[in-house]
Amino acid sequence: MPSDERPASSPPAEPDAPQPCADVHCHVLPGVDDGPTDLAESLALCRMLVADGVVDVVASPHQLGPYELDNSGPAIRAALAALQAEIDAAGISLRLHAGADVRIDERLVRLIDEGTVLTIGDQRRHLLLELPHETFVEPLPVIEELAARGVQTVMTHPERHRYLAGSRRRIAAWLDAGAVLQITAGSLVGDFGRQARDEAWRLVDEELVDLVASDAHDSRRRPPRMQQARELLAARYGMEYARRLTYDNPRQVLAGRRLGD
């Protein structure tokens, strides 16, 4: 269920300015996965994020799965520091936070303990967990194991997995074990097709979603879409609810606070 706890309000936006968003899932680092191929593309995405109202973004390159251990924790931290320096030099008002889009793996807890797999904000409080796109792998044992370590699992883009469509029993078990759902802003606006759009809205309608994130990969093929998603949510449920999913709850995660308590 969406959390009612909210951090202190940010300064009111100018009338024509985008509403502030915090993005907990974005492939913004250059040359590490299927996101930006180089620094120029990365900076273009950063500028688009700012134009889309994003003030804080979790740099979350893929880990495990097809990428195995190519993107290690130390390598991601170094790439993030280098990109933040370039962002600051370019005068782009965007704060980067460490993280990873982590494919489910039986070694997950051990790799977190070793510092190889990264949690959101590098705080060991929240983990972005991705399931394979082709085949269902039950994440409940991992969710429970992480919860026992004090790590809340953020299940990424469930609306985009065809095998989960209508699978409320599975999802309910994840939420009962302490996980939360993150859907993709682009799904709400139809970027991933009708099935993903309809499932995203069903999850929202059933109050099963706590976070909306961009999962952006570049400024052209996979742009952020945060403002569009926020406007659609506000039109349907009001600005307070839209803000909760796109700013308040993400800020709680960045602060290391568990959602749903």
Side-chain angles (χ1 to χ4, degrees), residues 3-231:
S3 170
D4 290 327
E5 185 181 3
R6 295 195 296 275
S9 298
S10 60
E14 296 297 325
D16 295 328
Q19 294 294 313
C21 295
D23 186 4
V24 299
H25 183 177
C26 185
H27 298 258
V28 69
L29 297 180
V32 298
D33 61 1
D34 55 347
T37 59
D38 56 27
L39 178 60
E41 286 191 6
S42 183
L43 291 176
L45 175 55
C46 290
R47 291 187 177 93
M48 181 169 279
L49 286 163
V50 171
D52 211 32
V54 176
V55 293
D56 290 275
V57 62
V58 176
S60 50
H62 291 291
Q63 284 191 306
L64 304 181
Y67 290 87
E68 185 45 22
L69 298 176
D70 293 344
N71 295 323
S72 68
I76 292 172
R77 295 182 190 102
L80 183 142
L83 180 58
Q84 185 69 69
E86 294 286 352
I87 288 171
D88 295 343
I92 301 171
S93 298
L94 186 66
R95 291 183 295 271
L96 299 183
H97 304 263
D101 185 12
V102 185
R103 182 65 63 89
I104 191 168
D105 189 291
E106 62 184 6
R107 302 165 294 171
L108 195 52
V109 171
R110 173 174 63 82
L111 292 172
I112 292 172
D113 289 344
E114 293 173 357
T116 298
V117 162
L118 292 189
T119 56
I120 295 177
D122 220 2
Q123 300 179 87
R124 302 193 181 191
R125 297 289 293 160
H126 301 85
L127 177 89
L128 292 173
L129 185 65
E130 180 187 48
L131 298 181
H133 292 282
E134 305 81 15
T135 306
F136 176 68
V137 176
E138 176 57 69
L140 187 58
V142 173
I143 293 170
E144 293 173 338
E145 190 174 7
L146 289 171
R149 301 292 188 97
V151 179
Q152 185 170 40
T153 300
V154 177
M155 298 299 300
T156 63
H157 51 70
E159 80 284 357
R160 287 160 46 197
H161 294 302
R162 290 180 179 271
Y163 53 69
L164 287 178
S167 300
R168 294 300 181 266
R169 184 178 301 176
R170 285 173 173 166
I171 290 175
W174 305 346
L175 301 185
D176 288 345
V180 294
L181 302 187
Q182 172 257 300
I183 62 172
T184 307
S187 295
L188 293 172
V189 306
D191 284 354
F192 296 92
R194 178 177 295 179
Q195 181 170 342
R197 181 197 64 193
D198 292 349
E199 183 66 6
W201 281 108
R202 279 193 290 268
L203 291 169
V204 171
D205 291 343
E206 294 170 28
E207 297 188 314
L208 299 176
V209 176
D210 276 280
L211 299 158
V212 172
S214 75
D215 195 3
H217 282 58
D218 54 47
S219 60
R220 298 179 302 279
R221 181 176 53 90
R222 291 275 296 274
R225 302 290 196 211
M226 292 294 285
Q227 285 302 309
Q228 280 184 271
R230 183 167 175 147
E231 289 166 6

